Amino acid sequence: MVKDLGTFLDAIGWKLIWGVDLGEGTPENAADEAQAVAATAQDKLIAFEVGNEPDLFGGLHRPKDYDYMQFHSEYRRYRDAIPRRQPGAPFADPMLPDTTPNG
């Protein structure tokens, strides 16, 4: 649950980069999650990251022949869904050169 995330971040004095799971779920679930995280983390949210280690997806989360083009297509669907629900959402992820708002 993310409802206590803001309180936790306040208590430890940290900022947050939140990883959105690309291995399972849907773009709509990712957008719901991002909206909830942004609401509770507020100014402590640095960015969202879409996917983690997609080079390991083939044979694990996807068929063995999963390739970059398939990853990129999925990535874009997730990456595009979040700002529709959370306008101005900041991103830091493998498709961007650095952490930028609306990369």
Side-chain angles (χ1 to χ4, degrees):
M1 288 286 174
V2 298
K3 68 178 186 163
D4 296 324
L5 181 60
T7 303
F8 174 72
L9 293 171
D10 284 339
I12 61 175
W14 286 5
K15 299 264 183 180
L16 176 71
I17 295 176
W18 184 268
V20 176
D21 188 359
L22 183 64
E24 298 180 11
T26 67
E28 294 75 24
N29 293 137
D32 289 343
E33 179 180 322
Q35 187 174 27
V37 168
T40 191
Q42 298 181 8
D43 64 335
K44 292 167 284 304
L45 176 65
I46 296 171
F48 293 106
E49 178 184 27
V50 178
N52 185 31
E53 299 180 342
D55 55 317
L56 303 177
F57 281 18
L60 180 60
H61 297 290
R62 304 291 184 277
K64 281 191 176 261
D65 62 349
Y66 184 75
D67 64 15
Y68 174 79
M69 294 307 292
Q70 292 167 310
F71 158 73
H72 188 261
S73 176
E74 286 185 298
Y75 163 84
R76 289 306 312 177
R77 286 194 307 274
Y78 278 66
R79 172 64 174 78
D80 293 346
I82 293 170
R84 284 195 297 268
R85 189 78 50 80
Q86 186 65 38
F91 287 86
D93 48 46
M95 303 305 291
L96 300 174
D98 58 10
T99 302
T100 57
N102 293 321

